[in-house]
Coordinates of all heavy atoms in Angstrom, one line a residue:
A477 N 7.8 -17.0 -15.2 CA 8.8 -16.3 -16.0 C 8.2 -15.4 -17.0 O 8.7 -14.3 -17.4 CB 9.8 -17.3 -16.5
I478 N 7.2 -16.0 -17.7 CA 6.5 -15.3 -18.9 C 5.8 -13.9 -18.2 O 5.9 -12.9 -18.8 CB 5.5 -16.0 -19.5 CG1 6.1 -17.3 -20.3 CG2 4.6 -15.1 -20.4 CD1 5.0 -18.2 -20.8
L479 N 5.2 -14.0 -17.0 CA 4.6 -13.0 -16.4 C 5.7 -11.9 -15.9 O 5.4 -10.7 -16.1 CB 4.0 -13.3 -15.1 CG 2.6 -14.1 -15.3 CD1 2.0 -14.8 -14.1 CD2 1.4 -13.2 -16.0
C480 N 6.8 -12.3 -15.5 CA 7.9 -11.3 -15.0 C 8.4 -10.7 -16.2 O 8.5 -9.2 -16.2 CB 8.9 -12.0 -14.3 SG 8.5 -12.8 -12.6
L481 N 8.6 -11.4 -17.4 CA 9.2 -10.7 -18.5 C 8.1 -9.7 -19.1 O 8.4 -8.6 -19.4 CB 9.5 -11.6 -19.6 CG 10.8 -12.6 -19.2 CD1 10.8 -13.8 -20.0 CD2 12.0 -11.7 -19.3
G482 N 6.9 -10.2 -19.1 CA 5.8 -9.3 -19.8 C 5.4 -8.0 -19.0 O 5.4 -6.9 -19.6
L483 N 5.2 -8.3 -17.7 CA 4.9 -7.1 -16.8 C 6.0 -6.1 -16.8 O 5.8 -4.9 -16.7 CB 4.6 -7.7 -15.4 CG 3.3 -8.5 -15.3 CD1 3.1 -9.0 -13.9 CD2 2.0 -7.6 -15.6
S484 N 7.3 -6.6 -16.8 CA 8.5 -5.6 -16.8 C 8.5 -4.9 -18.2 O 8.7 -3.7 -18.2 CB 9.7 -6.5 -16.6 OG 9.8 -7.1 -15.3
G485 N 8.2 -5.6 -19.2 CA 8.2 -4.9 -20.6 C 7.1 -3.8 -20.7 O 7.3 -2.7 -21.1
I486 N 5.9 -4.3 -20.1 CA 4.7 -3.2 -20.2 C 5.2 -2.0 -19.3 O 4.9 -0.8 -19.8 CB 3.5 -3.9 -19.7 CG1 3.0 -5.0 -20.6 CG2 2.4 -3.0 -19.4 CD1 1.9 -5.9 -20.1
S487 N 5.6 -2.3 -18.1 CA 5.8 -1.0 -17.2 C 7.0 -0.2 -17.7 O 6.9 1.0 -17.7 CB 6.2 -1.6 -15.9 OG 5.1 -2.2 -15.3
V488 N 8.1 -0.8 -18.3 CA 9.2 0.1 -18.8 C 8.8 0.6 -20.1 O 9.1 1.8 -20.3 CB 10.4 -0.9 -19.0 CG1 11.5 -0.2 -19.8 CG2 10.9 -1.5 -17.7
G489 N 8.2 0.0 -21.0 CA 7.8 0.5 -22.3 C 6.7 1.6 -22.1 O 7.0 2.7 -22.7
L490 N 5.7 1.4 -21.4 CA 4.7 2.5 -21.1 C 5.2 3.7 -20.2 O 4.9 4.9 -20.4 CB 3.4 2.0 -20.4 CG 2.6 1.0 -21.3 CD1 1.3 0.6 -20.7 CD2 2.1 1.7 -22.6
G491 N 6.2 3.4 -19.4 CA 6.8 4.4 -18.5 C 7.7 5.3 -19.4 O 7.7 6.7 -19.2
A492 N 8.3 4.7 -20.6 CA 9.0 5.7 -21.5 C 8.1 6.4 -22.5 O 8.3 7.5 -23.0 CB 9.9 4.8 -22.3
R493 N 6.9 5.8 -22.8 CA 5.9 6.3 -23.7 C 5.1 7.5 -23.1 O 4.8 8.4 -23.7 CB 5.0 5.3 -24.2 CG 3.9 5.8 -25.2 CD 4.6 6.4 -26.5 NE 3.6 7.0 -27.4 CZ 3.0 8.3 -27.2 NH1 3.5 9.0 -26.3 NH2 2.2 8.6 -28.2
L494 N 4.8 7.3 -21.9 CA 4.0 8.3 -21.0 C 4.6 8.6 -19.8 O 4.0 8.5 -18.6 CB 2.6 7.5 -20.6 CG 1.8 7.0 -21.8 CD1 0.6 6.1 -21.3 CD2 1.2 8.2 -22.6
P495 N 5.8 9.3 -20.0 CA 6.4 9.8 -18.7 C 5.8 11.1 -18.2 O 5.2 11.9 -18.9 CB 7.8 10.0 -19.3 CG 7.6 10.5 -20.6 CD 6.4 9.8 -21.2
N496 N 6.2 11.3 -17.0 CA 5.7 12.6 -16.2 C 7.0 13.3 -15.7 O 7.3 13.1 -14.5 CB 4.7 12.4 -15.1 CG 4.1 13.7 -14.5 OD1 4.5 14.7 -14.9 ND2 3.2 13.6 -13.6
L497 N 7.6 14.0 -16.5 CA 8.9 14.6 -16.1 C 8.8 15.8 -15.2 O 9.9 16.2 -14.6 CB 9.7 15.0 -17.3 CG 9.9 14.0 -18.5 CD1 10.4 14.5 -19.6 CD2 10.7 12.7 -17.8
K498 N 7.6 16.3 -14.9 CA 7.5 17.4 -14.0 C 7.3 16.9 -12.6 O 7.3 17.8 -11.7 CB 6.3 18.2 -14.4 CG 6.6 19.0 -15.8 CD 5.4 19.7 -16.1 CE 5.5 20.4 -17.6 NZ 4.4 21.2 -18.0
E499 N 7.0 15.6 -12.4 CA 6.7 15.2 -11.0 C 7.8 14.4 -10.4 O 8.4 13.6 -11.0 CB 5.4 14.4 -11.0 CG 4.9 13.8 -9.7 CD 4.6 15.0 -8.8 OE1 3.6 15.7 -9.1 OE2 5.2 15.0 -7.7
D500 N 8.1 14.6 -9.1 CA 9.1 13.9 -8.5 C 8.7 12.9 -7.5 O 9.5 12.3 -6.8 CB 10.3 14.8 -7.9 CG 9.6 15.8 -6.9 OD1 8.4 15.7 -6.7 OD2 10.4 16.6 -6.4
D501 N 7.4 12.8 -7.3 CA 6.9 11.8 -6.4 C 6.3 10.6 -7.0 O 5.4 10.8 -8.0 CB 5.7 12.5 -5.7 CG 5.1 11.6 -4.6 OD1 5.4 10.4 -4.5 OD2 4.3 12.1 -3.7
P502 N 6.9 9.4 -6.9 CA 6.7 8.3 -7.7 C 5.2 7.7 -7.5 O 4.7 7.2 -8.4 CB 7.7 7.2 -7.2 CG 8.2 7.7 -5.8 CD 8.2 9.2 -6.0
S503 N 4.7 8.1 -6.3 CA 3.2 7.6 -6.0 C 2.3 8.4 -6.9 O 1.3 7.9 -7.5 CB 2.9 7.8 -4.6 OG 3.0 9.1 -4.2
K504 N 2.6 9.7 -7.1 CA 1.7 10.6 -7.9 C 1.9 10.2 -9.4 O 0.9 10.3 -10.2 CB 2.0 12.0 -7.8 CG 1.7 12.5 -6.3 CD 1.8 14.1 -6.2 CE 1.4 14.6 -4.9 NZ 1.8 16.0 -4.5
I505 N 3.0 9.8 -9.8 CA 3.3 9.3 -11.1 C 2.5 8.1 -11.4 O 1.9 7.9 -12.5 CB 4.8 9.1 -11.4 CG1 5.6 10.5 -11.2 CG2 5.0 8.6 -12.9 CD1 7.1 10.4 -11.3
A506 N 2.6 7.2 -10.6 CA 1.8 5.8 -10.8 C 0.3 6.0 -10.7 O -0.3 5.3 -11.2 CB 2.4 4.9 -9.6
A507 N -0.1 7.2 -10.0 CA -1.5 7.4 -9.9 C -2.1 8.1 -11.0 O -3.3 8.3 -11.1 CB -1.9 8.1 -8.5
G508 N -1.2 8.5 -11.9 CA -1.7 9.4 -13.0 C -2.3 8.5 -14.2 O -2.5 7.3 -14.1
F509 N -2.5 9.1 -15.4 CA -3.2 8.4 -16.4 C -2.3 7.3 -16.9 O -2.7 6.3 -17.2 CB -3.4 9.4 -17.5 CG -3.8 8.8 -18.9 CD1 -5.1 8.3 -19.1 CD2 -2.9 8.5 -19.9 CE1 -5.5 7.7 -20.1 CE2 -3.3 7.8 -21.1 CZ -4.5 7.5 -21.1
G510 N -1.0 7.6 -17.1 CA 0.0 6.5 -17.6 C 0.1 5.4 -16.6 O 0.0 4.2 -17.0
G511 N 0.1 5.6 -15.3 CA 0.1 4.6 -14.3 C -1.2 3.8 -14.2 O -1.2 2.6 -14.1

Side-chain angles (χ1 to χ4, degrees):
I478 293 173
L479 288 170
C480 291
L481 290 165
L483 291 175
S484 299
I486 291 170
S487 295
V488 174
L490 291 183
R493 178 63 183 83
L494 300 168
N496 184 357
L497 303 177
K498 297 180 180 178
E499 184 59 63
D500 55 2
D501 187 346
S503 62
K504 292 183 179 178
I505 297 172
F509 171 78

